[in-house]
Amino acid sequence: MKLDILVFGAHPDDAELGAGATIAKEVANGKKVGIIDLTRGELGTRGSAEIRDEEAAAAAKILGVTVRENLEYADGFFMNDKKHQMGIIQILRKYRPDIVLCNAIDDRHIDHAKGSSLVSDACFLSGLVKIDTKLEGSDVWQDAWRPKQVYHYIQWKNLKPDFVVDVSGFIDKKTEAILAYGSQFFDPKSDEPETPISSKNFIDSVKYRARDLGRLVGTEYAEGFTAERHVAVDNLDALI
């Protein structure tokens, strides 16, 4: 199965928080989009890995993605090394995305920057023909594949985006997908410990950040991304 866009997140809910509205918009435009979670978020203060598995499946259904997988790397302790890179290379060659979205290049949680560099490095290595991979249980060697672009969504820190996507009309879908993670975010009835992302202010900030980015570019809502390479367009009209 070939996907147009593959979105990676260090934890379940990273993709929704960073790029949920963009994902929903691309799906509505007919693109095949997948999400790959690197870990099950088992070190999270609230909830459990099993609960987050269920929440991730519910969020994927809301966004309408074609596929969602979890690589079950160790939350907090995965590394940007050969073992982890090879797992991502197998996934990239399995789904052959043209565009990859992944974690922020710098952020509060150490897994976000690690996940960012891990996926980015794997995207380059996946294009090298002398790296041999097979999917587990298969005898077929995979063909090399390198995505055309790797973009990084923005998370806790207010990084300066290289470009933004107009997501007007899709912010409610993003919010719905985020709130599918009932164990993680604001719930006045919850008796679990408070975390930086469990407050109502945090949930509100997701929308007002998108509204502010939209204001800056003349739309209602927008999501920001950073790019590893220059973003090319056919003509100046494409920038409007």
Side-chain angles (χ1 to χ4, degrees), residues 24-46:
K25 182 174 185 177
E26 294 291 358
V27 170
N29 287 337
K31 297 294 180 64
K32 291 184 178 180
V33 183
I35 298 176
I36 305 296
D37 301 310
L38 302 186
T39 79
R40 298 174 70 199
E42 62 269 20
L43 294 184
T45 301
R46 296 160 66 102

Side-chain angles (χ1 to χ4, degrees), residues 52-120:
R52 296 186 77 170
D53 290 344
E54 296 176 359
E55 293 170 341
K61 186 175 182 179
I62 291 167
L63 293 176
V65 298
T66 302
V67 65
R68 185 169 205 157
E69 293 189 26
N70 195 302
L71 297 184
E72 299 188 17
Y73 291 165
D75 190 10
F77 294 99
F78 70 84
M79 302 295 293
N80 184 3
D81 58 16
K82 181 177 179 179
K83 174 184 176 182
H84 293 85
Q85 290 165 357
M86 291 296 286
I88 294 175
I89 291 170
Q90 289 175 334
I91 288 291
L92 291 167
R93 292 176 174 183
K94 176 181 179 180
Y95 291 116
R96 297 173 292 152
D98 297 313
I99 295 173
V100 163
L101 306 180
C102 58
N103 285 100
I105 58 174
D106 179 36
D107 211 41
R108 171 183 170 274
H109 197 300
I110 61 171
D111 278 356
H112 295 170
K114 280 195 298 180
S116 173
S117 60
L118 169 59
V119 172
S120 178

Side-chain angles (χ1 to χ4, degrees), residues 151-168:
Y151 301 132
H152 304 261
Y153 46 82
I154 294 171
Q155 299 184 258
W156 182 271
K157 292 185 178 181
N158 287 320
L159 304 182
K160 182 179 179 180
D162 292 318
F163 68 92
V164 301
V165 176
D166 178 7
V167 294
S168 302

Side-chain angles (χ1 to χ4, degrees), residues 120-191:
S120 178
D121 289 353
C123 284
F124 176 81
L125 293 170
S126 184
L128 300 180
V129 297
K130 290 186 177 180
I131 295 178
D132 297 324
T133 57
K134 295 179 182 178
L135 288 175
E136 185 176 351
S138 173
D139 293 327
V140 179
W141 293 105
Q142 294 180 300
D143 293 330
W145 181 267
R146 182 175 293 145
K148 295 176 181 177
Q149 290 287 356
V150 178
Y151 301 132
H152 304 261
Y153 46 82
I154 294 171
Q155 299 184 258
W156 182 271
K157 292 185 178 181
N158 287 320
L159 304 182
K160 182 179 179 180
D162 292 318
F163 68 92
V164 301
V165 176
D166 178 7
V167 294
S168 302
F170 293 92
I171 198 69
D172 288 342
K173 183 71 72 173
K174 170 178 179 149
T175 302
E176 184 183 359
I178 291 170
L179 293 179
Y181 294 90
S183 69
Q184 301 302 302
F185 301 112
F186 179 68
D187 179 359
K189 298 179 181 178
S190 175
D191 58 1

